[in-house]
Amino acid sequence: MNHHYSRWVFCWLAAASLPTAQANDSLARLLPLSLEELIATPVITASRRAEGREQTPSHIMVYTREQIRDRRYKNLADLLEDLPGVDFQRATRSSQYNNFVFQGHVSNNKILILLDGVRIDHPAGGKIPVAENFSLHFAKQVEVLYGPAAALYGADAFAGVINIITDKPGDDLAGKISAGVGNFGSLEGNFQIGGALGAGFTLTASAHYQESDRAPLDKTYPASYPKVKAGGVSAAQREDYVGDMSSQSQYFRLDYKDDLTIGFYRNRFRSLSSTGDNSASAFYLSDVFWDTTIDTWYGKYRFELSPSIKAELVVDYSTYEVDPQSRYINKITNFQDHGYDYAYARRRGIEQNLSWQVNAQHALLAGIGFKDYAAIETPDLPQAYNTSQGPDTQGMTYSNTTIPLQIFDANYHSWSGYLQWQAQWTPSLSTMIGARDDWYSTYGNSLNPRLGVTWKAAEGNYLKLLYGEAFRAPSPEESYSAFGSFDAKGKPSGLFRAPNESLEPEKSRTLSLTWDWRPLRQFNLITNAYQTRVEGVITTRADATPIQYIPGATLTQTESKQNSGQDEYYGIDLIPQWQTHLGGPWNADLWGSYSYVNGHFRETLNGPKLELINIASNKVKLGVTLRYKDWLTITPRLQWIDETSTGAVNRVQNDRIKKTDSYTTASLHVGVHKLAGEHLSLYLDIYNLFDERYYAAHTSSSSLVLQAVPQQPRTFMGTLEYRF
């Protein structure tokens, strides 16, 4: 990987030679916001309009550019791992890589990821990698909205919303460039530049790149990766473990005054398709991978109909594609090179919203929208998908047969309309009521209300009560999930997965109570308690009558995705934050959380109650940023995670047959600032500081995977950041 190292050194030297215009104000500010300023930071995501945190009944967390920098949240995975109420399992899944649980909601298809209010995750709601690919190097702040938000955002705003917010550049050319090098072949870098183009136009452009070989886990966890005979290869000839991955993103934003914004965002992630598999079920090969790319174009036009009525027209176009060379070589493919995969999704959307400030006490928000979707889903392919040809002209057949391979090509659309009313009845009492109706051509409509009350019980005491409903639309990868094989005689071999185009949305109902307590100017404690019930959960069930979805074949056993499950969970998050002066030039910003969650799920409506998957009942996350004047920051972070349930289940005893042990990990992040004429910062990041051996829980119950997936030993990264 030395050629990549030289690339980043060249970029850094090139940036250093640029004329140094006025330093970017937001980057030059190295002192953090006071707690009062932080609390007063306007939020947008909760109501799609700027408001104070105490004005919304929603539970929302805000992370500023300074906090992101000092705590070293370099990407969305880093931030999620440190979030209250989130269980995070790194590098456990072959296609989505990381897995996380958001206040009891399993998997990343239960939240929306937005960039300035525009969806940038899977355009049709499927699972994607959320890892180093979602870099935060260009973020002004990140807002994390907890709880259902379908009343404003529609499908998949199920457990919450994450909104990465950027801002327009100033008139002067300014920006930054950074490059980092770490152990296990780790390299990363990014740049950001912005300024005025003239005639009212401003432009921001940025990009990031990252790659890592990652640690040789067969050396640090030999019991988890024994060399055993597989696929006709003897144990003595088996390959060493590999786990490399890489990511990249590009972003630009063009603004014309405050009226028009045109933006583009791309992220790409590549990891090995053997991730999370045991050595008896897969070959560990660096050229056998899963590679996804998401592109999003968007435009916003803002105008006023009157001094009290503002409007915004938003158009967006987004695509998701799995690289046609993505494939598996494992036990499912009989260790042969014919396990290729491909998927594609596209969304086109337009939405018009109106914001009416009726008077000082009342505000209305309304909107209508239309979205058009297309998707291609394939079963395992004997060769790479040819993207220059349509799904019907690929010319592939099922193995050992002349039967054409079933490739699914879906097209559907949706309409939406929403209305929200916010009222400030007295200086201490406000309410919010809203609803949104989404109609899909595939299954009909879904109406989702949201109601909330905020009461200032006393100075520094805010109570928030919120009830909301949400829906998660079935994704094409669920509706058209299909696979199976034929034996040497051309007969169906065992169980086939069949598509189910009649899937309906999952539906959730959540009640939450938030207490925001500010007894001192330097101390804030947020307590959020919640209870959620989910109906129509999509699970995999055997079909009583086999589904004959392959013309020319008679299937004797099939299973399919069905709306048969039910989830119920409750929990509480305690989130303190405290700023204090330590004496002399030293100050400290302390934060943390304690999270408790419990509940159960059923695979069928009247089935037995089973333990929740991938959840630790108790979690403690702590951190402190120690600051010496404005040129040195020292940030240790610590996590204690209770034993965590895996996907393996004993249906007879109604319990998990395996849990990963509890563990404690720590990281250390040091920053030295204002070097080289106040343009240069140096960072040292050490992860798994005490070199613990610990495991993450796998989601699957399959015997092909490691239920307890080994995690990285101590790793470090040194980074130079130059601001100009």
Side-chain angles (χ1 to χ4, degrees):
M1 295 186 180
N2 289 335
H3 60 292
H4 293 303
Y5 173 75
S6 60
R7 177 195 309 169
W8 292 119
V9 171
F10 172 80
C11 290
W12 184 85
L13 291 174
S17 66
L18 291 173
T20 56
Q22 179 180 349
N24 187 317
D25 178 67
S26 59
L27 293 171
R29 175 175 179 149
L30 294 172
L31 292 174
L33 297 175
S34 70
L35 192 55
E36 286 181 304
E37 291 174 313
L38 181 63
I39 291 172
T41 300
V43 296
I44 300 171
T45 311
S47 301
R48 295 180 72 161
R49 59 191 293 266
E51 60 186 349
R53 200 175 78 185
E54 69 279 357
Q55 294 176 285
T56 172
S58 302
H59 172 38
I60 188 167
M61 301 288 292
V62 182
Y63 296 89
T64 65
R65 192 189 330 253
E66 291 77 23
Q67 290 175 317
I68 292 169
R69 180 197 63 219
D70 294 341
R71 301 180 188 183
R72 302 300 284 159
Y73 299 147
K74 291 187 282 188
N75 50 68
L76 207 50
D78 292 342
L79 178 59
L80 278 163
E81 192 172 39
D82 205 38
L83 275 182
V86 173
D87 294 84
F88 199 87
Q89 291 96 31
R90 285 187 182 266
T92 57
R93 303 297 302 274
S94 60
S95 59
Q96 69 185 74
Y97 196 66
N98 297 326
N99 181 69
F100 60 87
V101 183
F102 199 94
Q103 285 194 335
H105 296 268
V106 180
S107 193
N108 63 12
N109 58 1
K110 307 294 176 65
I111 64 168
L112 285 184
I113 302 175
L114 310 177
L115 175 63
D116 292 323
V118 177
R119 183 171 185 162
I120 56 170
D121 57 14
H122 196 296
K127 297 177 181 178
I128 60 167
V130 179
E132 284 77 358
N133 50 329
F134 285 94
S135 175
L136 297 179
H137 71 277
F138 60 97
K140 172 188 175 184
Q141 67 187 48
V142 177
E143 298 177 6
V144 182
L145 178 67
Y146 286 78
L152 279 182
Y153 294 101
D156 308 332
F158 205 70
V161 176
I162 297 176
N163 195 2
I164 303 169
I165 296 174
T166 68
D167 57 4
K168 293 196 305 180
D171 292 334
D172 297 325
L173 177 68
K176 65 174 182 175
I177 188 167
S178 73
V181 180
N183 59 341
F184 305 123
S186 297
L187 300 172
E188 62 184 27
N190 63 70
F191 80 88
Q192 178 183 354
I193 188 169
L197 300 178
F201 287 95
T202 59
L203 177 67
T204 301
S206 74
H208 105 277
Y209 180 86
Q210 170 273 331
E211 66 178 33
S212 178
D213 291 338
R214 303 180 75 243
L217 295 179
D218 55 342
K219 306 298 189 297
T220 49
Y221 297 88
S224 296
Y225 296 98
K227 291 189 175 181
V228 297
K229 181 180 179 180
V233 179
S234 68
Q237 295 177 314
R238 282 298 302 272
E239 73 287 348
D240 292 334
Y241 171 87
V242 291
D244 49 287
M245 44 81 77
S246 63
S247 67
Q248 57 182 279
S249 68
Q250 296 89 41
Y251 161 77
F252 83 78
R253 170 177 169 169
L254 176 68
D255 288 276
Y256 176 70
K257 298 182 178 178
D258 292 326
D259 303 331
L260 179 67
T261 300
I262 297 173
F264 170 75
Y265 179 73
R266 165 181 289 173
N267 83 55
R268 183 176 181 180
F269 187 79
R270 172 171 166 162
S271 62
L272 303 189
S273 56
S274 56
T275 301
D277 292 346
N278 60 48
S279 56
S281 64
F283 288 156
Y284 299 122
L285 304 172
S286 288
D287 61 346
V288 180
F289 56 84
W290 185 266
D291 193 326
T292 60
T293 300
I294 301 174
D295 287 349
T296 303
W297 288 87
Y298 65 93
K300 295 183 177 184
Y301 175 58
R302 294 169 286 270
F303 56 97
E304 291 187 2
L305 298 178
S306 74
S308 62
I309 301 178
K310 302 181 185 300
E312 183 179 64
L313 177 67
V314 182
V315 295
D316 72 290
Y317 180 90
S318 181
T319 60
Y320 159 88
E321 187 171 33
V322 174
D323 188 318
Q325 296 298 323
S326 298
R327 68 194 193 279
Y328 297 84
I329 298 181
N330 56 21
K331 196 170 184 179
I332 300 299
T333 68
N334 198 27
F335 294 95
Q336 301 301 308
D337 188 11
H338 56 67
Y340 288 81
D341 211 334
Y342 180 74
Y344 171 85
R346 185 263 299 151
R347 181 190 71 245
R348 296 181 296 206
I350 183 169
E351 180 180 302
Q352 177 66 66
N353 64 62
L354 296 173
S355 176
W356 181 23
Q357 189 67 47
V358 181
N359 52 41
Q361 290 77 39
H362 299 276
L364 292 175
L365 177 69
I368 57 173
F370 173 80
K371 290 182 173 63
D372 175 61
Y373 301 87
I376 297 172
E377 289 288 334
T378 74
D380 291 338
L381 304 175
Q383 62 196 50
Y385 187 91
N386 187 346
T387 57
S388 65
Q389 297 180 348
D392 297 331
T393 58
Q394 293 294 313
M396 301 185 203
T397 61
Y398 289 98
S399 60
N400 301 316
T401 76
T402 58
I403 300 173
L405 201 67
Q406 294 297 298
I407 297 176
F408 301 95
D409 186 8
N411 291 273
Y412 57 102
H413 60 272
S414 70
W415 290 92
S416 63
Y418 61 89
L419 179 66
Q420 178 179 268
W421 170 34
Q422 291 179 276
Q424 188 74 47
W425 299 103
T426 71
S428 61
L429 180 67
S430 63
T431 60
M432 179 274 295
I433 181 170
R436 173 169 168 148
D437 189 69
D438 289 83
W439 180 87
Y440 278 72
S441 60
T442 48
Y443 55 76
N445 79 304
S446 179
L447 178 65
N448 295 274
R450 190 168 66 145
L451 305 93
V453 179
T454 301
W455 177 40
K456 183 179 178 181
E459 192 64 37
N461 278 271
Y462 297 86
L463 292 173
K464 305 178 180 185
L465 183 65
L466 181 72
Y467 171 79
E469 298 183 10
F471 73 106
R472 188 183 73 81
S475 64
E477 70 183 42
E478 292 168 313
S479 298
Y480 300 100
S481 174
F483 53 82
S485 61
F486 292 79
D487 62 22
K489 297 181 180 180
K491 301 295 183 182
S493 177
L495 184 68
F496 272 66
R497 171 71 59 79
N500 181 2
E501 298 182 50
S502 300
L503 282 177
E504 296 185 351
E506 298 179 349
K507 181 76 173 181
S508 75
R509 295 173 174 83
T510 299
L511 181 66
S512 71
L513 176 64
T514 304
W515 176 33
D516 191 337
W517 182 40
R518 310 169 190 174
L520 303 170
R521 293 177 58 188
Q522 299 83 16
F523 181 78
N524 180 214
L525 174 64
I526 299 174
T527 303
N528 175 240
Y530 58 90
Q531 183 171 19
T532 298
R533 185 180 181 89
V534 186
E535 304 286 352
V537 176
I538 297 174
T539 62
T540 305
R541 307 293 299 165
D543 299 307
T545 301
I547 299 174
Q548 305 301 327
Y549 74 96
I550 303 177
T554 301
L555 306 180
T556 57
Q557 300 178 67
T558 63
E559 65 179 16
S560 61
K561 297 288 186 179
Q562 301 175 18
N563 295 102
S564 61
Q566 182 185 88
D567 291 349
E568 188 168 344
Y569 25 81
Y570 55 90
I572 188 169
D573 293 329
L574 304 176
I575 310 165
Q577 185 168 351
W578 178 38
Q579 288 183 338
T580 184
H581 179 237
L582 299 177
W586 287 94
N587 292 278
D589 181 6
L590 300 95
W591 75 95
S593 67
Y594 165 73
S595 300
Y596 172 80
V597 62
N598 206 339
H600 65 267
F601 82 97
R602 301 175 190 263
E603 293 181 315
T604 59
L605 185 60
N606 298 312
K609 294 181 179 180
L610 302 172
E611 290 185 61
L612 296 173
I613 298 174
N614 294 151
I615 291 178
S617 295
N618 300 279
K619 294 175 284 291
V620 176
K621 303 178 182 183
L622 301 172
V624 57
T625 294
L626 304 172
R627 182 180 300 276
Y628 182 81
K629 296 183 178 179
D630 58 353
W631 64 268
L632 174 66
T633 54
I634 304 172
T635 304
R637 291 195 275 131
L638 181 142
Q639 292 190 357
W640 174 79
I641 308 298
D642 202 355
E643 61 179 14
T644 304
S645 55
T646 74
V649 62
N650 185 332
R651 289 172 174 80
V652 176
Q653 298 179 11
N654 302 334
D655 63 4
R656 294 285 148 197
I657 58 176
K658 184 170 182 59
K659 294 185 178 182
T660 58
D661 293 334
S662 62
Y663 61 85
T664 302
T665 61
S667 63
L668 179 64
H669 311 275
V670 180
V672 181
H673 311 284
K674 292 198 169 184
L675 304 174
E678 301 192 357
H679 293 285
L680 183 67
S681 292
L682 306 178
Y683 295 97
L684 174 64
D685 302 302
I686 306 175
Y687 303 92
N688 193 0
L689 180 64
F690 301 111
D691 203 23
E692 294 292 319
R693 300 293 178 263
Y694 66 107
Y695 301 83
H698 205 294
T699 303
S700 174
S701 61
S702 171
S703 61
L704 305 181
V705 304
L706 292 162
Q707 290 297 319
V709 182
Q711 297 297 288
Q712 293 288 291
R714 183 189 295 117
T715 61
F716 61 83
M717 174 72 68
T719 303
L720 288 80
E721 179 180 276
Y722 185 82
R723 300 179 296 276
F724 57 92

